[in-house]
Amino acid sequence: GRTINHNLGVAPEMMWFKRRDSADIWTVYHSALGEGKRLKLHQNTAAEDDTSSFNNTAPTSSVFTVGSLGQINGSGTYIAYLFATVAGVSKVGSYTGDGTTGRVIDCGFTSGAKFVLIKPSSQTGGWNVYDTVRGIVAGNDPFLILNSSGAEVTNQSDDIDANNSGFIVNQQALGNFLNGSGVTYIFYAVAT
């Protein structure tokens, strides 16, 4: 493993890694899962145990650590996207579903989330992206799935709603989509 300097100014709470000079997978770190687990942005799989990706070391305000996994630290060229919470602007977080409709996810915003990325991490499920341009409204909420090459999904029901402090998730008849009881979800939300 090795450490790599960054200029985010705070410890990254989510990091996406991708090899640039050859075909390889996306590897994702999320602070809610810890440095001993990873997700794959191109797949809908649950978080998996993996001590080789981040060398079992949490990122700091100045460096992140990559381990021996060739998908993020081989002999190639890589890019890393780093995300962190900025009070009132963005929130990297997680929640455990309670199986209800109308569950408020408080991000500390004052005008609601304009962009929301949600992924179940304790079970399979897509990297679902909602935004106010296409509709975070009471009713049908179109969304994109990052791990799919498919078109925008428009035939869903009321999955997500607006809330001044962040956003609202609803449990739907389709199963543990956004608020399944006992399911752990990670998210990234942006207010502005």
Side-chain angles (χ1 to χ4, degrees), residues 7 10 20 23 45 52 80-81 85 91 110 121 124 139 156 163 172 174 176-177:
N7 295 315
V10 296
R20 294 175 34 217
T45 54
S52 64
Y81 294 103
T85 297
K91 176 71 175 171
T110 57
S121 60
T124 60
Q156 290 297 115
N163 180 273
Q172 299 299 328
L174 295 174
N176 299 329
F177 194 54

Side-chain angles (χ1 to χ4, degrees), residues 85-160:
T85 297
V86 176
V89 176
S90 64
K91 176 71 175 171
V92 178
S94 68
Y95 62 93
T96 300
D98 64 8
T100 65
T101 293
R103 167 87 183 272
V104 175
I105 307 301
D106 188 345
C107 300
F109 300 160
T110 57
S111 60
K114 308 267 189 274
F115 171 93
V116 180
L117 166 67
I118 302 175
K119 162 82 172 93
S121 60
S122 62
Q123 70 175 32
T124 60
W127 294 84
N128 301 316
V129 176
Y130 301 85
D131 61 71
T132 55
V133 171
R134 291 172 304 113
I136 295 178
V137 297
N140 186 24
D141 300 304
F143 63 96
L144 294 169
I145 303 172
L146 294 184
N147 57 284
S148 169
S149 61
E152 174 181 84
V153 179
T154 59
N155 60 349
Q156 290 297 115
S157 52
D158 190 17
D159 300 326
I160 189 169

Side-chain angles (χ1 to χ4, degrees), residues 11-17 27-40 47-48 53-54 57-59 81 83-85 91-95 117-121 127 184-189:
E13 296 169 85
M14 182 169 63
M15 301 184 290
W16 298 357
F17 297 90
T27 300
V28 177
Y29 163 87
H30 196 286
S31 59
L33 304 174
E35 55 278 353
K37 290 191 179 284
R38 73 171 173 160
L39 289 164
K40 297 174 182 174
E48 59 187 36
S53 290
F54 313 111
T57 306
Y81 294 103
F83 303 84
T85 297
K91 176 71 175 171
V92 178
S94 68
Y95 62 93
L117 166 67
I118 302 175
K119 162 82 172 93
S121 60
W127 294 84
T184 303
Y185 300 85
I186 61 163
F187 71 88
Y188 176 63

Side-chain angles (χ1 to χ4, degrees), residues 63-75:
V63 299
F64 60 84
T65 302
V66 292
S68 60
L69 184 70
Q71 294 155 344
I72 63 173
N73 190 25
S75 59

